[in-house]
């Protein structure tokens, strides 16, 4: 983990825009995924009630945080976006993701489904607000572990989620018309 943190620190200290920083951090994360010793036994523990977040590292200057997420089968997030750029890498198992965009609809808004993705072990995704609205879940029969790196101090904020969306989705706006 120390090598990963040093690699991320070097990328973040370049001071580039959020999209470029996220892509650089994704490049740094990918080679670290997979080894058994990346996370401690405690950081691999799930919670039967919901996916579990373990803060692994928060940079002293607040510029980034590394979080291990543990997903038991079927667990998922609400539809949400983030407070800062984010990189997510699948360390074990797989994750599925439904992506949306926010569409003005007169005085209100609605969500429009844009795509579905399945990420197997070793996959890395990078994104930055705006345009980072999604739902993530563990579709598999086994526990999934992912490493998320956020461009914010999650120790202070306690979450990377900026907003949870409970808006109507356009008809046919997800797999199976959901």
């Amino acid at each position: 983990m120390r090598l990963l943190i040093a690699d991320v620190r070097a990328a973040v200290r370049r001071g580039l825009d959020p999209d470029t920083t996220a892509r650089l951090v994704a490049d740094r994360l990918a080679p670290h995924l997979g080894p058994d010793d990346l996370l401690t036994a405690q950081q691999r523990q799930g919670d039967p009630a919901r996916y579990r977040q373990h803060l692994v590292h928060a940079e002293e200057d607040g510029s980034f945080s590394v979080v291990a997420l543990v997903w038991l089968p079927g667990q998922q997030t609400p539809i949400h976006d983030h407070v800062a750029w984010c990189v997510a890498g699948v360390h074990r198992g797989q994750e599925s993701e439904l992506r949306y965009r926010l569409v003005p609809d007169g005085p209100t808004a609605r969500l429009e489904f844009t795509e579905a993705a399945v990420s197997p072990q070793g996959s890395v995704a990078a994104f930055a607000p705006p345009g980072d609205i999604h739902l993530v879940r563990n579709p598999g029969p086994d526990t999934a572990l992912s490493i998320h790196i956020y461009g914010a101090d999650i120790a202070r904020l306690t979450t990377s989620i900026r907003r949870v969306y409970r808006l109507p989705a356009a008809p046919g706006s997800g797999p199976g018309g959901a």
Side-chain angles (χ1 to χ4, degrees), residues 37-144:
D37 63 349
L38 183 64
L39 298 172
T40 66
Q42 170 65 24
Q43 293 165 342
R44 294 189 302 266
Q45 293 299 309
D47 179 337
R50 64 183 303 269
Y51 71 96
R52 186 168 184 192
Q53 172 179 290
H54 297 277
L55 179 65
V56 176
H57 175 80
E59 192 70 353
E60 285 184 28
D61 66 3
S63 60
F64 73 92
S65 301
V66 179
V67 175
L69 293 180
V70 182
W71 311 81
L72 299 181
Q75 290 181 333
Q76 68 182 37
T77 68
I79 299 172
H80 67 282
D81 62 8
H82 295 272
V83 296
W85 59 262
C86 176
V87 171
V90 181
H91 183 58
R92 290 276 188 270
Q94 66 176 331
E95 293 179 359
S96 68
E97 179 184 19
L98 301 178
R99 298 175 184 154
Y100 299 87
R101 70 180 184 102
L102 190 61
V103 178
D105 193 6
T108 62
R110 62 182 166 78
L111 293 175
E112 184 175 87
F113 173 76
T114 59
E115 70 180 301
V118 175
S119 301
Q121 182 173 329
S123 298
V124 180
F127 49 88
D132 62 327
I133 302 170
H134 65 169
L135 175 150
V136 180
R137 78 181 298 266
N138 174 5
D142 300 314
T143 298

Side-chain angles (χ1 to χ4, degrees), residues 127-167:
F127 49 88
D132 62 327
I133 302 170
H134 65 169
L135 175 150
V136 180
R137 78 181 298 266
N138 174 5
D142 300 314
T143 298
L145 301 171
S146 54
I147 306 299
H148 294 231
I149 305 172
Y150 302 106
D153 185 347
I154 301 306
R156 184 176 56 82
L157 298 175
T158 69
T159 183
S160 67
I161 295 175
R162 181 180 73 91
R163 179 178 174 188
V164 171
Y165 292 85
R166 291 178 175 44
L167 297 171

